[in-house]
Amino acid sequence: MTPKKNTTPIRVNVLFFSVFILFSLLVLRLGIVQIVHGEDYKREINRKEDVTVNNPVPRGRMLDRNLELIVDNKPLNAITYTNEGASQEEMLDVAGKLAKIIDKDTDKVRERDMKDFWMLKHPEEAKDLITEKEMDQFRNKKLKNKDLYKLQIERITEDHLKQLSEQDIEELAIFSIMNNGYKFVPQIIKNKDVSKDEFAIVSENLTLLPGVNATTDWDREYKYKETFKPVLGKVTTSSEGLPADRIDYFISRGYTRNDRVGKSYLEQEYEDILQGTKERVINITDKAGVLLEKELVAEGQRGKDLILSIDMDLQVAVEEIIEKELWAAKRSPGTRLLDSAYVVLMDPNTGEVLTMAGKKIVKDKKTNEVQMQDDALGNIINTYNVGSVVKGATVLTGYKTGAISPWTSFDDRALDIKGTPIKKSYSYLGVLNDIEALKKSSNVYMFHTAIRIGNGVYRYQKPLNLDPQVWDTIRNSFASFGLGIRTGIDLPSEQTGAKGANSPVGKVLDLVIGQYDTYSNMQLAQYISTIANGGHRMQPRVVKEIREPAMNGDLVGPVYKSFSPKVLNDIDMEDQWLARVHTGFKKVMQEPGGTAYRYFGNATYSPAGKTGTAEAFYDGQYRVKGDPLIETMNISLVGYAPSENPEIAMAVIVPWAYQGSVDHGANKKIGRAVMDAYFNMKNPSKQPNDEQ
């Protein structure tokens, strides 16, 4: 029998050999990892992350043309919190400690927030709000986490919420701010009415309050209180943050969601200038997100300052005049609807706005008390029928189109046009040339001018048959003075006014006497400035220059940018035509028979201008929706002085001034007092004469 061959040693040898090969491969792999890639893995283990944060700085200030501070930054004690990687539980602990130290406003805490907070404070009770059956459905994936959460929220009752104390609610208010902030971005916990004790206690306990800091914040301070404040604009609060409709715009420019930004008028229009350059800090963290160190890479710089064209002393004086004359006018009959008046003073040669004032009488809905409030914005956002002040543009349009020429005369007899109410002046003024028509404010002269512009002929009880192109001809000419178009002022929300329908074509007669289209007071200021300066439509400006932040205790820094006067267009008029209108406007105020002579005849500064009265329909605060329209009268005034080489131009509107036939003349009274104030403040030693 042949002995059986033993294969065990062979199998053992194969096994040992395989183990040897595998071990060799493992050693080789470990060698590669350590020698070839060792440094890479070591760097990964020690990897740090850089998170750059832009910290806000105080906004730029606003000063008037005489470098008087208007808007400044008022320092505030503030309590802030910066999340440097804390967990929700850690933030909750800090919020609880802070709630014991400071008084926190809870007005913005919502019921939904309280329910979430109650669940955090009472986790076991919150679990009991879910039934066992619902938990089985959750385990079997028939319900999701969000479904359970919704059920819990729905089942939290008022009795549950009553378990939260006042201090708990304060803790919630603080925690909500902490929890909604970005990592490494300071959040304002409290910056209004932080008491000395609160500030001191927080400062002393910073080691027990990780992420909390007692620091200095700022708020806008208005040196002239409410004066001109609507035009200056508003800034969002830290709780408001970025406006919802412009978040993407600001985020793309390096803002964070809780940054304060300008949200109206000058604050908004010059946001990029006022915001300043943010401080840039790099927060260096390890792989787990733990803060290791901070590195300042760029110091912040306060926003640049705006130097306004406004003279605040003059602004205050003009507002006092408006307020005084408004109250006085309210004592006249037929003034139930009278509630406002507006004044613009402009340098006709540069477009700089020296004064933009408005006042409005309002009734407090809660107390029914009547009070006067600032309404300077009414100069650009409200438009009205302005009446005869536009007749200078009508006469110049007549010259330009060849409809009339210097010395052209018309009989002021009323017009009787077929299918149209009698068209006339306020009284029969005789036969008038162009200058006398302006002086005495003839409507009929302007009607004849419009008829000729439209290639029509007036015949008693016959239709006019005007060329429909007459509308565009007149409106385009008016626009060259600034009437019915944007003036270009450096403020948002400017209104251009309403244009009446182009039919019937006879309504163009109302257009040329200022009783059809509507205009703003700023448009009137631009219009009269264009005539005053010889035919240049200047862009109105409220900001005249931008300054760098002041250094070394100086009031203002060096000039960053100056705004040169900008001519928007030149009117296509001959010098002799403008001279005729200048003469007519001068006679309005300086010659007996002129419509403003009674008020300006003895003025020492040689004024020129034009008065206006317009039939209008009331559309103000006292109108009840659905009620029939109420007829009323708007009164206005435009002027400039001195009549030779003018240095100041003025526009005044008093809308819904009176009903009936008793004109209290508030437009002219305001205009005279305002002009007197300007020249008196310019040369205090030379007092203007009293009114006649």
Side-chain angles (χ1 to χ4, degrees):
M1 184 173 181
T2 306
K4 189 175 181 178
K5 188 175 181 181
N6 189 357
T7 60
T8 300
I10 297 174
R11 291 175 180 172
V12 171
N13 290 336
V14 170
L15 179 60
F16 284 155
F17 182 73
S18 298
V19 170
F20 173 76
I21 294 298
L22 291 173
F23 185 76
S24 299
L25 291 174
L26 178 61
V27 172
L28 180 63
R29 180 60 183 167
L30 288 172
I32 292 172
V33 167
Q34 183 172 355
I35 298 170
V36 179
H37 299 295
E39 287 300 316
D40 292 338
Y41 286 113
K42 184 177 180 181
R43 281 194 296 270
E44 180 65 19
I45 291 173
N46 296 324
R47 180 169 61 89
K48 298 178 181 178
E49 292 183 348
D50 295 345
V51 180
T52 302
V53 174
N54 297 324
N55 293 324
V57 294
R59 290 176 76 79
R61 305 170 303 166
M62 299 186 201
L63 301 89
D64 82 344
R65 65 187 302 110
N66 301 313
L67 302 184
E68 293 290 334
L69 265 174
I70 304 174
V71 184
D72 201 357
N73 297 308
K74 177 174 63 176
L76 300 172
N77 286 336
I79 310 299
T80 66
Y81 176 77
T82 305
N83 183 0
E84 298 177 346
S87 66
Q88 193 174 66
E89 291 74 17
E90 290 170 328
M91 284 191 287
L92 199 59
D93 178 63
V94 172
K97 292 176 181 177
L98 261 184
K100 296 176 182 177
I101 298 174
I102 67 174
D103 291 325
K104 177 60 182 172
D105 180 21
T106 60
D107 290 345
K108 295 183 179 180
V109 173
R110 303 172 302 169
E111 183 180 283
R112 179 57 179 270
D113 298 327
M114 293 172 65
K115 289 183 176 183
D116 287 328
F117 194 66
W118 179 87
M119 291 173 64
L120 280 174
K121 285 286 190 176
H122 304 84
E124 294 303 320
E125 288 184 60
K127 286 181 182 179
D128 292 341
L129 296 176
I130 302 300
T131 66
E132 190 60 38
K133 181 180 178 181
E134 289 162 346
M135 286 303 300
D136 288 340
Q137 290 176 318
F138 173 71
R139 296 185 192 101
N140 294 327
K141 298 185 179 179
K142 292 181 180 180
L143 290 177
K144 297 180 180 179
N145 270 322
K146 65 178 182 180
D147 299 319
L148 297 183
Y149 171 72
K150 185 178 180 181
L151 288 170
Q152 287 174 306
I153 290 294
E154 291 173 352
R155 292 168 183 171
I156 295 174
T157 66
E158 288 187 12
D159 288 337
H160 289 121
L161 296 182
K162 286 179 181 178
Q163 297 175 21
L164 297 175
S165 65
E166 289 185 11
Q167 187 169 302
D168 287 334
I169 305 301
E170 288 190 42
E171 181 181 337
L172 167 57
I174 296 170
F175 174 73
S176 296
I177 297 172
M178 293 177 170
N179 199 39
N180 290 331
Y182 289 99
K183 193 173 182 181
F184 300 124
V185 177
Q187 307 296 312
I188 301 291
I189 302 299
K190 183 177 181 179
N191 63 355
K192 296 289 179 67
D193 302 321
V194 177
S195 69
K196 292 181 179 179
D197 288 343
E198 287 177 329
F199 193 80
I201 294 172
V202 171
S203 300
E204 293 167 1
N205 290 276
L206 293 180
T207 55
L208 303 176
L209 300 166
V212 174
N213 193 17
T215 183
T216 302
D217 193 29
W218 56 268
D219 196 9
R220 285 310 229 182
E221 182 179 30
Y222 301 90
K223 300 294 186 179
Y224 288 82
K225 307 301 180 185
E226 299 301 312
T227 300
F228 204 57
K229 192 174 179 180
V231 181
L232 301 173
K234 295 181 179 179
V235 178
T236 61
T237 64
S238 55
S239 58
E240 287 178 307
L242 302 180
D245 58 343
R246 303 186 71 199
I247 282 181
D248 292 341
Y249 170 85
F250 285 115
I251 292 294
S252 67
R253 284 159 176 77
Y255 288 74
T256 57
R257 289 180 182 270
N258 66 324
D259 275 345
R260 283 172 286 180
V261 298
K263 64 178 181 180
S264 63
Y265 295 97
L266 284 177
E267 293 279 15
Q268 176 183 325
E269 188 74 7
Y270 290 91
E271 167 64 26
D272 292 345
I273 298 297
L274 294 168
Q275 181 67 14
T277 304
K278 292 187 175 185
E279 176 187 80
R280 294 184 62 222
V281 176
I282 293 180
N283 294 274
I284 303 171
T285 68
D286 61 16
K287 187 178 179 181
V290 177
L291 181 66
L292 300 176
E293 59 180 300
K294 293 185 177 184
E295 180 181 342
L296 177 66
V297 294
E299 291 187 1
Q301 185 181 55
R302 179 176 65 78
K304 295 179 176 62
D305 296 334
L306 300 183
I307 309 300
L308 307 189
S309 61
I310 301 295
D311 183 327
M312 287 302 290
D313 289 339
L314 183 59
Q315 177 80 19
V316 170
V318 171
E319 289 191 8
E320 290 175 352
I321 290 167
I322 296 174
E323 191 164 340
K324 174 187 173 184
E325 295 300 337
L326 258 184
W327 287 127
K330 287 291 286 183
R331 294 193 289 269
S332 298
T335 57
R336 177 176 65 89
L337 303 176
L338 170 64
D339 65 359
S340 54
Y342 305 96
V343 174
V344 171
L345 287 177
M346 183 186 296
D347 184 332
N349 303 301
T350 65
E352 291 180 2
V353 178
L354 277 68
T355 294
M356 179 176 161
K359 287 289 183 178
K360 188 170 187 176
I361 300 171
V362 296
K363 181 181 289 187
D364 189 292
K365 293 181 180 179
K366 294 181 179 179
T367 64
N368 282 329
E369 291 184 1
V370 175
Q371 57 189 8
M372 192 84 70
Q373 71 178 23
D374 191 295
D375 194 27
L377 290 173
N379 286 287
I380 64 170
I381 65 175
N382 297 336
T383 63
Y384 306 98
N385 299 115
V386 297
S388 299
V389 290
V390 305
K391 287 177 178 175
T394 300
V395 169
L396 287 166
T397 303
Y399 294 149
K400 181 180 177 181
T401 58
I404 60 172
S405 58
W407 296 104
T408 294
S409 297
F410 293 113
D411 190 339
D412 196 59
R413 193 177 304 277
L415 305 186
D416 191 345
I417 303 165
K418 184 177 180 180
T420 302
I422 297 296
K423 309 291 286 184
K424 62 181 181 178
S425 300
Y426 55 91
S427 65
Y428 178 63
L429 302 174
V431 177
L432 303 168
N433 62 27
D434 46 345
I435 290 177
E436 292 298 306
L438 290 173
K439 171 187 171 182
K440 297 182 179 181
S441 198
S442 167
N443 287 345
V444 173
Y445 193 98
M446 307 305 149
F447 297 154
H448 283 297
T449 301
I451 291 168
R452 288 193 177 188
I453 294 172
N455 298 317
V457 177
Y458 167 69
R459 290 187 292 269
Y460 177 74
Q461 271 291 310
K462 298 292 183 182
L464 290 178
N465 296 321
L466 301 181
D467 183 348
Q469 190 63 34
V470 67
W471 291 102
D472 289 340
T473 300
I474 293 174
R475 282 179 174 147
N476 288 341
S477 179
F478 276 26
S480 69
F481 295 91
L483 296 172
I485 60 171
R486 297 194 187 281
T487 64
I489 191 170
D490 52 337
L491 289 169
S493 305
E494 180 187 11
Q495 300 300 303
T496 59
K499 289 181 170 60
N502 287 12
S503 62
V505 73
K507 287 288 186 180
V508 77
L509 302 189
D510 295 328
L511 175 66
V512 296
I513 62 169
Q515 302 210 51
Y516 200 58
D517 290 357
T518 65
Y519 310 111
S520 72
N521 203 37
M522 187 60 68
Q523 288 175 343
L524 290 187
Q526 189 177 56
Y527 150 71
I528 194 61
S529 291
T530 303
I531 291 176
N533 66 30
H536 313 293
R537 185 167 77 96
M538 307 302 298
Q539 178 186 13
R541 291 210 66 89
V542 176
V543 175
K544 61 181 298 184
E545 64 183 21
I546 299 169
R547 297 278 190 131
E548 296 283 3
M551 304 293 287
N552 302 321
D554 295 335
L555 177 61
V556 291
V559 175
Y560 170 77
K561 182 179 182 180
S562 291
F563 296 98
S564 301
K566 184 176 181 180
V567 179
L568 299 179
N569 64 266
D570 292 322
I571 58 173
D572 184 17
M573 302 289 173
E574 294 183 11
D575 290 344
Q576 63 167 325
W577 299 344
L578 280 167
R580 297 287 291 180
V581 172
H582 286 164
T583 301
F585 280 5
K586 185 175 180 179
K587 287 175 177 286
V588 166
M589 291 187 166
Q590 297 188 42
E591 191 171 281
T595 55
Y597 175 74
R598 175 188 167 194
Y599 297 89
F600 287 89
N602 66 339
T604 59
Y605 39 78
S606 185
K610 185 73 189 73
T611 59
T613 304
E615 297 176 358
F617 292 102
Y618 179 72
D619 190 28
Q621 60 181 318
Y622 305 125
R623 183 187 174 194
V624 177
K625 189 175 182 181
D627 282 1
L629 294 173
I630 303 173
E631 291 186 4
T632 183
M633 306 296 285
N634 297 340
I635 53 179
S636 57
L637 176 70
V638 294
Y640 52 87
S643 55
E644 303 294 331
N645 301 316
E647 63 181 67
I648 193 68
M650 173 184 68
V652 180
I653 288 182
V654 184
W656 312 313
Y658 62 91
Q659 294 170 273
S661 58
V662 180
D663 181 358
H664 46 68
N667 55 333
K668 290 163 278 195
K669 292 175 183 176
I670 290 172
R672 173 62 195 260
V674 166
M675 279 287 196
D676 284 355
Y678 169 80
F679 283 101
N680 184 40
M681 293 176 73
K682 178 188 173 187
N683 187 5
S685 63
K686 186 177 181 181
Q687 298 288 337
N689 295 330
D690 294 331
E691 271 187 35
Q692 285 188 345

